[in-house]
Amino acid sequence: MKKKVILAIADGVGDKPCEILGGLTPLEKAKTPNLDKLATQGITGIVDVVGAGIPVGTDLGHMVLFGYDESDYPGRGPIEASGVGIELVPGDVALRCNFATVDMSLNILDRRAGRIRERTNELAKAISGLEIDGVSFLLKEATEHRALLVMRGEGLSANITDSDPKLIKGKSSFKRVVPKDDSEAAKKTADVLNKFFIESHMILKTHSANASRIRQGLHPANFLLTRGAGLMPNLEKTADKYDIKGAVVAAEGTVLGVAKIAGFEAITHKSLTGNLDTNVDMKAKLALAANKNYDFVAINVKAPDLMGHDNQPLEKVQAIEMFDRMIGKLIEEPLEDTIIAVVADHSTPCERMEHSGDPVPALIYGQGIRRDRNTAYNEIDCAHGGLGRIKGYEFVNTLFDFMEKTVKKGN
Amino acid sequence: MKKKVILAIADGVGDKPCEILGGLTPLEKAKTPNLDKLATQGITGIVDVVGAGIPVGTDLGHMVLFGYDESDYPGRGPIEASGVGIELVPGDVALRCNFATVDMSLNILDRRAGRIRERTNELAKAISGLEIDGVSFLLKEATEHRALLVMRGEGLSANITDSDPKLIKGKSSFKRVVPKDDSEAAKKTADVLNKFFIESHMILKTHSANASRIRQGLHPANFLLTRGAGLMPNLEKTADKYDIKGAVVAAEGTVLGVAKIAGFEAITHKSLTGNLDTNVDMKAKLALAANKNYDFVAINVKAPDLMGHDNQPLEKVQAIEMFDRMIGKLIEEPLEDTIIAVVADHSTPCERMEHSGDPVPALIYGQGIRRDRNTAYNEIDCAHGGLGRIKGYEFVNTLFDFMEKTVKKGN
């Protein structure tokens, strides 16, 4: 029977044996009665999200889990822009940027404009809509001094340098953007963007929000520094390609950005923090509500990844037990025709404090699923599971097939 | 923590059940306490070096284990040329050749010039540096009657036939080399090479080393027969691509040749023979010394492969126990921050007396490695191991990831 799917993503959950945990991984150490129940009644395996030994970023990891191929990856800019709510069209160039402070000679005084938090939405609105040489600019504020800039027009390229000098020693101006190749598109994009820096500076420096900051003795946000240009490719939305009604419950902009690119509803709530203090009960509640109206619902829990980055095995155990509690909420009442799958976007071993290329444990649970002999959800037991060791796209295809959304090949 | 790697390669170790061993494989039959210790404390699996069911040569097998792709394979000529110490540049055509004996009408009297062993270095030097139509020739002697010839110049191709007729019935001349395609490059290469055969013959036949052979009633080495032309591609050295300082301890020219192509130090010693009488203690000693200065140290033990080719299961057991002894030497003292991995370049089942497409058993051992439940290193137990069944490049990426040398994809 055609299934719906709830995919719970334990961000960065994969780990290696930790000394402080007596040689166990955080997943082995954690008390996870709900995950183990799913493992016992379901099928398990390990997944190389992109490939064995290849560390994967959260953005690409979620793209794969939402039905994309590695080669579809558009870079950080477009994903972040999508995350803050800009609807990108193919050919857009999206750039991450900072509000910064420059003096009258355009020397950078502060790369982050005093970590400005207030009225950046007004500043962004004052810039957004600017048009230079047929290219229109969209600017949308993000957290603190961060913003996303989108260039929209014919014949643009993302193959350009950053204007943000990052490290500043002594007096330093912004770096004029230059093309990284000989194409007309890269040349044009760099030219227009360099004009934009001056034009936007003229607008920002006279903005009332900045006048008010100067009166308060704060650095005005009178300049934009850009980095990480990415071209939005002509990506078919996963929602359209597979005819899937999808939703993603998450706190983090990156994950929500990938969700929107895939054509999935991005669901969040002020009590979802992306950290140990997140409200997993709310996550489960939102996911179960979405399950009624959507074929595919993904839930991201970010905390295990953060604890890995901070090398805090004990707190990672805690994050995993929190994740397990959420799984418990999901199965409190029997779900009709819904499969629950659990996976991670990558491993973040505490010892490494970064993503690694270790495979992640995975499970699939629900009525009518082939069951294997494994009874625990962790890196070691799942390696002996009935799904074997598969690639990220194979795991996703498996779920989409349970949804009867993959296309038969041959006849 | 960033690891170093010692990769022990049991050449051709993979096998099938042998009747004489009571239905066990040589690996199952052999007493291998050290390998089993590593298996018990580490993670195991099986590896398809190129692909399931695809037999792999020693040269390509080692290329894969040293970080290359199947499509990078340049043919035997360039690898052997590299093995004898010729530094190839992209565009070089390398050919394996024999010193041979011809009569005055250029009929071949002996394809191996009486298996000449003496003064071939002088003969090679007399030829090396010859230049014909802008193509320069390098000749370097190898074992016995063998030598390596390199053509260096613009617009050469390896798509040419062999001049070595191999089987000779009655009077037979060398085969004039002809292009295998319509390209100018293949035509030019064949033309120049055919001229070279005559010019080099003129030099060789009057060389004092040959005059002396004739006086002794031996066949003079007065001609060069070529085969197996290969074009050196523009291969990035693994050492550069992954920023790895590597070294390879081996007896065999092929393995050392691949090492040099990869940009790794080629380490050998007169007591390393590539056979059952090799000095595995010396191998371990050289590897441990190299471990101090290199990120990646590979050790090849050739004997298991030879015993497979000779269909000698009992001697293969002996070769494996010798390999195990070497592993024991490697772990005599605890290695800090070093992972030990064990794999083979291919299977050489005794029964087949040739390489087969059977996967090879693999293990990875060291601090912080996920441990599986397997306790023995052999074809059968490793098939149930926690690494699962992976491809050669995936195994290598896994090692490179432990070294933190793979590049994160996405952000």
Side-chain angles (χ1 to χ4, degrees), chain A residues 278-344:
Chain A
T278 196
N279 184 345
V280 286
D281 295 1
M282 176 59 76
K283 281 200 179 168
K285 197 174 147 188
L286 291 170
L288 287 173
N291 174 247
K292 292 196 173 46
N293 303 312
Y294 295 88
D295 310 317
F296 176 86
V297 179
I299 326 170
N300 171 282
V301 176
K302 187 72 184 168
D305 179 53
L306 299 183
M307 301 310 120
H309 279 286
D310 290 349
N311 188 15
Q312 300 197 300
L314 295 167
E315 288 74 7
K316 192 163 179 181
V317 167
Q318 209 181 316
I320 289 165
E321 291 178 349
M322 193 175 78
F323 181 79
D324 186 72
R325 177 190 160 93
M326 183 186 81
I327 297 292
K329 292 280 169 190
L330 288 177
I331 56 171
E332 248 174 18
E333 313 214 351
L335 286 167
E336 238 174 82
D337 308 332
T338 294
I339 277 172
I340 297 183
V342 179
V343 76

Coordinates of all heavy atoms in Angstrom, one line a residue, chain A residues 278-344:
Chain A
T278 N 15.8 23.2 22.3 CA 14.7 23.1 21.4 C 13.5 22.3 21.9 O 13.7 21.5 22.8 CB 15.2 22.6 20.0 OG1 14.2 22.9 19.0 CG2 15.3 21.1 20.0
N279 N 12.4 22.6 21.4 CA 11.2 21.9 21.8 C 10.8 20.7 20.9 O 10.1 20.9 19.9 CB 10.1 23.0 21.8 CG 8.8 22.5 22.4 OD1 8.6 21.3 22.6 ND2 7.9 23.4 22.7
V280 N 11.3 19.6 21.3 CA 11.1 18.4 20.4 C 9.7 17.9 20.5 O 9.2 17.4 19.5 CB 12.1 17.2 20.8 CG1 13.5 17.5 20.3 CG2 12.0 16.8 22.2
D281 N 9.0 18.2 21.6 CA 7.6 17.9 21.6 C 6.8 18.6 20.5 O 5.9 18.1 19.8 CB 7.0 18.1 23.0 CG 7.6 17.2 24.0 OD1 8.5 16.4 23.7 OD2 7.2 17.4 25.2
M282 N 7.2 19.9 20.4 CA 6.6 20.8 19.4 C 6.9 20.3 18.0 O 6.1 20.2 17.1 CB 7.0 22.2 19.6 CG 6.5 23.2 18.5 SD 4.7 23.3 18.4 CE 4.4 24.3 19.9
K283 N 8.2 19.8 17.8 CA 8.6 19.3 16.5 C 7.7 18.1 16.1 O 7.2 18.0 15.0 CB 10.1 18.9 16.5 CG 11.0 20.1 16.4 CD 12.4 19.7 15.9 CE 13.1 21.1 15.8 NZ 14.5 21.0 15.7
A284 N 7.6 17.2 17.1 CA 6.8 16.0 16.8 C 5.3 16.4 16.5 O 4.7 15.9 15.6 CB 6.8 15.1 18.0
K285 N 4.8 17.4 17.3 CA 3.4 17.8 17.1 C 3.2 18.4 15.7 O 2.3 18.1 15.0 CB 3.1 18.8 18.2 CG 1.6 19.1 18.4 CD 1.4 20.0 19.6 CE 0.2 20.9 19.3 NZ 0.1 22.0 20.4
L286 N 4.2 19.3 15.3 CA 4.1 19.9 14.0 C 4.2 18.9 12.9 O 3.5 18.9 11.9 CB 5.2 20.9 13.8 CG 5.1 22.2 14.7 CD1 6.4 23.0 14.6 CD2 3.9 23.1 14.2
A287 N 5.1 17.9 13.1 CA 5.3 16.8 12.1 C 4.0 16.0 11.9 O 3.6 15.6 10.8 CB 6.5 16.0 12.4
L288 N 3.4 15.6 13.1 CA 2.2 14.8 13.0 C 1.1 15.6 12.4 O 0.3 15.0 11.6 CB 1.8 14.3 14.4 CG 2.8 13.2 15.0 CD1 2.4 12.9 16.5 CD2 2.7 11.9 14.2
A289 N 1.0 16.9 12.7 CA 0.0 17.7 12.0 C 0.2 17.7 10.5 O -0.7 17.5 9.7 CB 0.0 19.1 12.6
A290 N 1.5 17.9 10.1 CA 1.8 18.0 8.7 C 1.5 16.6 8.0 O 1.1 16.6 6.8 CB 3.3 18.4 8.5
N291 N 1.8 15.6 8.8 CA 1.6 14.2 8.2 C 0.1 14.0 7.6 O -0.1 13.2 6.7 CB 1.9 13.2 9.3 CG 1.5 11.7 8.9 OD1 0.7 11.1 9.4 ND2 2.3 11.2 7.9
K292 N -0.8 14.7 8.2 CA -2.2 14.6 7.7 C -2.3 15.2 6.3 O -3.1 14.6 5.5 CB -3.1 15.4 8.7 CG -3.2 14.8 10.1 CD -4.4 15.3 10.8 CE -4.7 14.6 12.1 NZ -3.5 14.4 12.9
N293 N -1.6 16.2 6.0 CA -1.8 16.9 4.7 C -0.6 16.7 3.7 O -0.7 17.1 2.6 CB -1.9 18.4 5.0 CG -3.1 18.7 5.9 OD1 -4.2 18.1 5.7 ND2 -2.8 19.5 6.9
Y294 N 0.5 16.1 4.1 CA 1.6 16.0 3.3 C 2.0 14.5 3.1 O 1.9 13.7 4.1 CB 2.8 16.8 3.8 CG 2.6 18.3 3.8 CD1 1.9 18.9 4.9 CD2 2.9 19.0 2.7 CE1 1.7 20.3 4.9 CE2 2.7 20.4 2.7 CZ 2.1 21.0 3.8 OH 1.8 22.4 3.8
D295 N 2.6 14.2 1.9 CA 3.1 12.8 1.7 C 4.4 12.6 2.5 O 4.7 11.4 2.9 CB 3.5 12.6 0.2 CG 2.3 13.0 -0.7 OD1 1.2 12.7 -0.4 OD2 2.6 13.6 -1.7
F296 N 5.2 13.6 2.5 CA 6.6 13.5 3.0 C 6.9 14.6 4.0 O 6.7 15.8 3.6 CB 7.5 13.6 1.8 CG 9.0 13.6 2.1 CD1 9.7 12.3 2.3 CD2 9.7 14.7 2.3 CE1 11.1 12.3 2.6 CE2 11.1 14.7 2.6 CZ 11.8 13.5 2.7
V297 N 7.2 14.2 5.2 CA 7.5 15.2 6.2 C 8.8 14.9 6.8 O 9.1 13.9 7.4 CB 6.4 15.2 7.4 CG1 6.7 16.3 8.4 CG2 5.0 15.5 6.8
A298 N 9.7 15.9 6.7 CA 11.1 15.7 7.3 C 11.2 16.6 8.6 O 10.6 17.7 8.6 CB 12.2 16.1 6.3
I299 N 11.8 16.1 9.6 CA 12.1 16.9 10.8 C 13.6 16.9 11.1 O 14.2 15.8 11.2 CB 11.5 16.2 12.1 CG1 10.2 15.5 11.8 CG2 11.3 17.3 13.2 CD1 9.7 14.7 13.0
N300 N 14.1 18.0 11.2 CA 15.6 18.1 11.5 C 15.7 18.5 13.0 O 15.1 19.4 13.5 CB 16.2 19.2 10.7 CG 17.7 19.5 11.1 OD1 17.9 20.2 12.1 ND2 18.6 18.9 10.4
V301 N 16.6 17.7 13.7 CA 17.0 18.1 15.0 C 18.5 18.4 15.0 O 19.4 17.5 14.7 CB 16.7 17.0 16.1 CG1 17.3 17.4 17.4 CG2 15.2 16.8 16.1
K302 N 18.9 19.6 15.2 CA 20.2 20.1 15.0 C 21.2 19.8 16.1 O 22.4 19.8 15.9 CB 20.2 21.6 14.8 CG 21.4 22.3 14.3 CD 21.8 22.0 12.9 CE 23.1 22.6 12.5 NZ 23.5 22.0 11.2
A303 N 20.7 19.6 17.3 CA 21.6 19.6 18.5 C 22.7 18.6 18.5 O 23.8 18.9 18.9 CB 20.7 19.4 19.8
P304 N 22.5 17.3 17.9 CA 23.6 16.4 17.9 C 24.8 16.9 17.2 O 26.0 16.7 17.6 CB 23.0 15.1 17.3 CG 21.6 15.3 17.5 CD 21.2 16.7 17.5
D305 N 24.6 17.6 16.1 CA 25.6 18.2 15.3 C 26.4 19.2 16.1 O 27.7 19.2 16.1 CB 25.1 18.8 14.0 CG 26.1 19.5 13.1 OD1 27.1 18.8 12.8 OD2 26.0 20.6 12.8
L306 N 25.7 20.1 16.8 CA 26.4 21.2 17.5 C 27.3 20.6 18.6 O 28.4 21.0 18.8 CB 25.3 22.1 18.2 CG 24.4 22.8 17.2 CD1 23.5 23.8 18.0 CD2 25.2 23.6 16.2
M307 N 26.8 19.5 19.3 CA 27.5 18.9 20.3 C 28.8 18.2 19.8 O 29.8 18.2 20.4 CB 26.7 17.9 21.1 CG 25.5 18.5 21.8 SD 25.8 20.0 22.8 CE 24.8 21.3 21.9
G308 N 28.7 17.7 18.6 CA 29.8 17.1 17.9 C 30.9 18.2 17.6 O 32.1 18.0 17.9
H309 N 30.4 19.3 17.0 CA 31.3 20.4 16.7 C 32.0 20.9 18.0 O 33.1 21.4 17.9 CB 30.6 21.6 16.1 CG 30.3 21.3 14.6 ND1 31.3 21.4 13.7 CD2 29.2 21.0 13.9 CE1 30.8 21.2 12.5 NE2 29.5 20.9 12.6
D310 N 31.3 20.9 19.1 CA 31.9 21.4 20.4 C 32.7 20.3 21.1 O 33.1 20.6 22.2 CB 30.8 21.9 21.3 CG 30.2 23.2 20.7 OD1 30.8 23.7 19.7 OD2 29.1 23.6 21.2
N311 N 32.8 19.1 20.6 CA 33.4 18.0 21.3 C 32.9 17.8 22.7 O 33.6 17.8 23.7 CB 35.0 18.2 21.3 CG 35.7 17.0 21.9 OD1 35.1 15.9 21.9 ND2 37.0 17.1 22.3
Q312 N 31.6 17.6 22.7 CA 30.9 17.4 24.0 C 30.1 16.1 23.9 O 28.9 16.1 23.7 CB 30.0 18.5 24.3 CG 30.7 19.9 24.4 CD 29.9 21.0 25.1 OE1 28.9 21.3 24.7 NE2 30.5 21.5 26.2
P313 N 30.8 14.9 24.1 CA 30.2 13.6 24.0 C 29.0 13.5 24.9 O 27.9 12.9 24.5 CB 31.3 12.6 24.3 CG 32.5 13.4 24.0 CD 32.3 14.8 24.4
L314 N 29.1 13.9 26.2 CA 28.0 13.8 27.1 C 26.8 14.5 26.7 O 25.7 14.0 26.8 CB 28.5 14.2 28.5 CG 29.6 13.3 29.1 CD1 30.2 13.9 30.3 CD2 29.1 11.9 29.4
E315 N 27.0 15.8 26.2 CA 25.9 16.6 25.8 C 25.3 16.0 24.5 O 24.1 16.1 24.2 CB 26.3 18.0 25.6 CG 26.6 18.8 26.9 CD 27.9 18.4 27.6 OE1 28.7 17.6 27.0 OE2 28.1 18.9 28.7
K316 N 26.2 15.3 23.7 CA 25.7 14.7 22.5 C 24.7 13.6 22.8 O 23.7 13.3 22.2 CB 26.8 14.3 21.6 CG 26.3 13.9 20.2 CD 27.5 13.8 19.1 CE 26.9 13.4 17.8 NZ 28.0 13.3 16.8
V317 N 25.1 12.8 23.9 CA 24.2 11.8 24.4 C 22.9 12.3 24.8 O 21.8 11.8 24.4 CB 24.9 11.1 25.6 CG1 23.9 10.2 26.3 CG2 26.1 10.3 25.2
Q318 N 22.9 13.5 25.4 CA 21.7 14.2 25.9 C 20.9 14.6 24.6 O 19.6 14.4 24.6 CB 22.2 15.4 26.6 CG 21.2 15.9 27.7 CD 21.9 17.2 28.3 OE1 23.1 17.2 28.6 NE2 21.0 18.2 28.5
A319 N 21.5 15.1 23.6 CA 20.8 15.6 22.4 C 20.2 14.4 21.8 O 19.0 14.5 21.2 CB 21.8 16.2 21.5
I320 N 20.9 13.2 21.8 CA 20.3 12.0 21.2 C 19.1 11.5 22.0 O 18.1 11.1 21.4 CB 21.4 10.9 21.1 CG1 22.4 11.3 20.0 CG2 20.8 9.6 20.8 CD1 23.7 10.5 20.1
E321 N 19.2 11.6 23.3 CA 18.0 11.2 24.1 C 16.8 12.1 23.9 O 15.7 11.6 23.9 CB 18.5 11.1 25.6 CG 19.5 9.9 25.7 CD 20.0 9.7 27.2 OE1 19.8 10.6 28.0 OE2 20.7 8.7 27.4
M322 N 17.1 13.3 23.6 CA 16.1 14.3 23.3 C 15.4 13.9 21.9 O 14.2 13.9 21.8 CB 16.7 15.7 23.2 CG 15.8 16.8 23.1 SD 16.7 18.4 23.2 CE 17.3 18.4 21.5
F323 N 16.3 13.6 21.0 CA 15.8 13.1 19.7 C 15.0 11.9 19.8 O 13.9 11.7 19.2 CB 17.0 12.8 18.8 CG 16.7 12.4 17.4 CD1 16.3 13.3 16.4 CD2 16.8 11.0 17.0 CE1 16.0 12.9 15.1 CE2 16.5 10.6 15.7 CZ 16.1 11.5 14.8
D324 N 15.4 10.9 20.7 CA 14.7 9.7 21.0 C 13.3 10.0 21.5 O 12.3 9.3 21.2 CB 15.5 8.8 21.9 CG 14.8 7.4 22.1 OD1 14.8 6.7 21.1 OD2 14.2 7.2 23.1
R325 N 13.3 11.0 22.4 CA 12.0 11.4 23.0 C 11.0 11.9 21.9 O 9.8 11.6 21.9 CB 12.3 12.6 24.0 CG 11.1 13.2 24.7 CD 11.5 14.4 25.4 NE 10.4 15.3 25.6 CZ 9.7 15.3 26.8 NH1 10.0 14.5 27.7 NH2 8.6 16.1 26.9
M326 N 11.6 12.6 20.9 CA 10.7 13.1 19.8 C 10.2 11.9 19.0 O 9.0 11.9 18.6 CB 11.6 14.0 18.9 CG 10.8 14.6 17.8 SD 11.8 15.5 16.6 CE 12.5 14.2 15.7
I327 N 11.1 10.9 18.8 CA 10.6 9.7 18.1 C 9.5 9.0 18.9 O 8.5 8.6 18.3 CB 11.8 8.7 17.9 CG1 12.9 9.3 17.1 CG2 11.3 7.4 17.4 CD1 12.6 9.5 15.6
G328 N 9.6 9.0 20.2 CA 8.6 8.4 21.1 C 7.2 9.2 20.8 O 6.2 8.5 20.8
K329 N 7.3 10.5 20.7 CA 6.1 11.3 20.5 C 5.5 10.9 19.2 O 4.2 10.9 19.0 CB 6.4 12.8 20.5 CG 6.8 13.3 21.9 CD 5.6 13.5 22.8 CE 6.0 13.8 24.2 NZ 4.9 13.8 25.2
L330 N 6.3 10.7 18.2 CA 5.8 10.4 16.8 C 5.0 9.1 16.8 O 4.1 8.9 16.0 CB 7.0 10.3 15.8 CG 7.7 11.6 15.5 CD1 8.9 11.3 14.5 CD2 6.7 12.6 14.8
I331 N 5.4 8.1 17.7 CA 4.8 6.8 17.6 C 3.8 6.5 18.8 O 3.4 5.4 19.0 CB 5.9 5.6 17.5 CG1 6.8 5.7 18.7 CG2 6.6 5.7 16.2 CD1 7.7 4.5 18.9
E332 N 3.5 7.6 19.5 CA 2.6 7.5 20.6 C 1.2 6.9 20.1 O 0.7 6.0 20.8 CB 2.3 8.8 21.3 CG 2.9 8.9 22.6 CD 2.7 10.3 23.2 OE1 1.9 11.1 22.8 OE2 3.5 10.6 24.2
E333 N 0.8 7.3 19.0 CA -0.4 6.7 18.5 C -0.1 6.0 17.2 O 0.8 6.5 16.4 CB -1.5 7.8 18.2 CG -1.6 8.7 19.3 CD -3.0 9.2 19.5 OE1 -3.9 9.0 18.7 OE2 -3.3 9.9 20.6
P334 N -0.7 4.9 16.9 CA -0.3 4.1 15.7 C -0.6 5.0 14.5 O -1.6 5.7 14.4 CB -1.2 2.9 15.7 CG -2.2 3.1 16.8 CD -1.8 4.2 17.7
L335 N 0.4 5.1 13.6 CA 0.3 5.9 12.4 C -0.2 5.0 11.2 O 0.4 4.0 10.9 CB 1.6 6.5 12.0 CG 2.1 7.6 12.8 CD1 3.6 7.9 12.6 CD2 1.3 8.9 12.6
E336 N -1.3 5.3 10.7 CA -1.8 4.5 9.6 C -1.1 4.8 8.3 O -1.0 6.0 7.9 CB -3.3 4.7 9.4 CG -4.1 3.4 9.6 CD -5.6 3.7 9.5 OE1 -6.1 3.8 8.4 OE2 -6.2 3.8 10.6
D337 N -0.6 3.8 7.6 CA 0.0 4.0 6.3 C 1.2 5.0 6.3 O 1.4 5.7 5.3 CB -1.0 4.5 5.3 CG -2.2 3.6 5.3 OD1 -2.0 2.4 5.6 OD2 -3.3 4.1 5.0
T338 N 1.8 5.2 7.4 CA 3.0 6.1 7.4 C 4.2 5.4 7.9 O 4.2 4.6 8.9 CB 2.7 7.3 8.3 OG1 1.7 8.1 7.8 CG2 4.0 8.2 8.5
I339 N 5.3 5.5 7.1 CA 6.6 5.0 7.5 C 7.4 6.0 8.2 O 7.3 7.2 7.9 CB 7.3 4.6 6.2 CG1 6.8 3.2 5.7 CG2 8.8 4.6 6.4 CD1 7.3 2.9 4.4
I340 N 8.1 5.6 9.3 CA 9.0 6.5 9.9 C 10.4 6.1 9.6 O 10.8 4.9 9.7 CB 8.8 6.5 11.4 CG1 7.4 7.1 11.7 CG2 9.9 7.4 12.1 CD1 7.1 7.2 13.2
A341 N 11.2 7.0 9.0 CA 12.6 6.7 8.7 C 13.5 7.6 9.5 O 13.1 8.7 9.9 CB 12.9 6.9 7.2
V342 N 14.7 7.1 9.9 CA 15.6 7.9 10.7 C 17.0 7.9 10.0 O 17.4 6.8 9.5 CB 15.8 7.4 12.1 CG1 16.8 8.2 12.9 CG2 14.4 7.4 12.8
V343 N 17.6 9.0 9.9 CA 18.9 9.1 9.2 C 19.6 10.3 9.7 O 19.0 11.1 10.4 CB 18.7 9.1 7.6 CG1 18.2 10.4 7.1 CG2 20.0 8.6 6.9
A344 N 20.8 10.5 9.2 CA 21.5 11.8 9.5 C 22.0 12.4 8.2 O 22.1 11.7 7.2 CB 22.7 11.6 10.4

